[in-house]
Amino acid sequence: MFNEELKPFLNGQDDNELTRDTLPASPRQKNRFMLISLAVNVMLFFVCTTLSVATFLLSNSNTASTTTQELNKDWHTEPYSPANSAIEYEYRYMINNDTRFTGYPRLEWEHSMNELMEGTLIRISNEELSLYGNDSIPLKDGGYAAGLAVGHNLHCVKKLKKFLYREHFYPNLDSNEVDFSYIQSHADHCLDFLRQSILCHLDYSLYTLYWGERQQDIPTHHDPGIQKCVNWDKLHGWMIERSVSTDMLVRP
């Protein structure tokens, strides 16, 4: 070992090795170094960009998840109704001026409206009421009283018809009496409720126009084409199966 320590530090290096270590690098070597450096920088840039994007997406995902969770505390993707399972869609055309429901009220109108409104008051179970998250009046033989919005809408159609032809339904009604004010306010309530329901369940069927016999008047419209509608017969059958009367309500 002693002899090894006495050897000159540069012993064993020939002049060529010394020259290679001490002379400046050739242009080819410089280019190679620059290419390697560029490749490393591009790789580092790619890694940093990927990490930044991943962090941003993860942050947004957490925010969106939190927002959705907060929203779902009060709102549901599909509002609960025990009738959800009875909803089925079909395609049909609108009837232009269905004579059963238009014109001066006749016995046919009364009969047709009563048929539509059969099953307006229905029975729901305690479990269904709990899922809905509200309370209601109990029934004498079990369950609770409830109704679907379509029943209220039909009730409003009937009230508006009766107010429109009040001389037929209320022949002795005096416009200065309290009863008239009540009937009028009820009709006004129904009109606004139908407005909101129409905007909620809006019908986006296309109407096209044509000039009527008197072309100087505003144009009239063709009836809409085929429409996607809830199968009323199926839903109405579901309502009738659960129907109850007001006599079954538990009084306070």
Side-chain angles (χ1 to χ4, degrees), residues 59-70:
S59 175
N60 278 2
S61 175
N62 291 337
T63 302
S65 177
T66 301
T67 303
T68 302
Q69 290 173 0
E70 292 176 351

Side-chain angles (χ1 to χ4, degrees), residues 95-243:
I95 300 174
N96 186 4
N97 293 325
D98 190 334
T99 56
R100 295 173 299 168
F101 301 99
T102 58
Y104 199 84
R106 304 175 307 279
L107 288 177
E108 183 185 19
W109 177 83
E110 293 275 3
H111 177 71
S112 299
M113 285 302 303
N114 289 338
E115 279 189 340
L116 285 180
M117 297 187 66
E118 186 180 359
T120 299
L121 191 65
I122 64 172
R123 182 197 311 274
I124 61 173
S125 66
N126 183 53
E127 292 75 17
E128 289 169 334
L129 185 63
S130 298
L131 287 171
Y132 184 66
N134 209 338
D135 56 3
S136 193
I137 297 176
L139 296 169
K140 294 177 180 178
D141 57 348
Y144 292 84
L148 301 184
V150 63
H152 182 266
N153 287 351
L154 289 171
H155 156 82
C156 279
V157 169
K158 186 174 183 179
K159 287 296 181 182
L160 287 170
K161 181 81 170 185
K162 295 179 80 169
F163 184 73
L164 185 63
Y165 293 94
R166 54 187 176 274
E167 74 281 357
H168 171 77
F169 293 102
Y170 315 106
N172 299 319
L173 184 66
D174 187 340
S175 60
N176 295 319
E177 293 180 354
V178 175
D179 287 345
F180 176 86
S181 179
Y182 169 77
I183 294 171
Q184 185 182 50
S185 64
H186 195 165
D188 195 45
H189 153 77
C190 277
L191 190 63
D192 187 62
F193 203 91
L194 288 175
R195 174 191 65 83
Q196 295 182 59
S197 183
I198 289 168
L199 293 177
C200 177
H201 308 284
L202 61 87
D203 183 352
Y204 47 88
S205 303
L206 184 65
Y207 282 75
T208 56
L209 307 178
Y210 68 95
W211 292 110
E213 294 179 359
R214 301 176 57 186
Q215 294 188 6
Q216 67 270 28
D217 293 340
I218 60 173
T220 186
H221 61 79
H222 295 284
D223 294 332
I226 193 167
Q227 298 174 293
K228 183 178 181 180
C229 309
V230 172
N231 186 324
W232 167 248
D233 291 335
K234 180 177 180 180
L235 178 61
H236 196 205
W238 180 91
M239 294 166 61
I240 291 174
E241 287 179 357
R242 290 171 170 246
S243 64

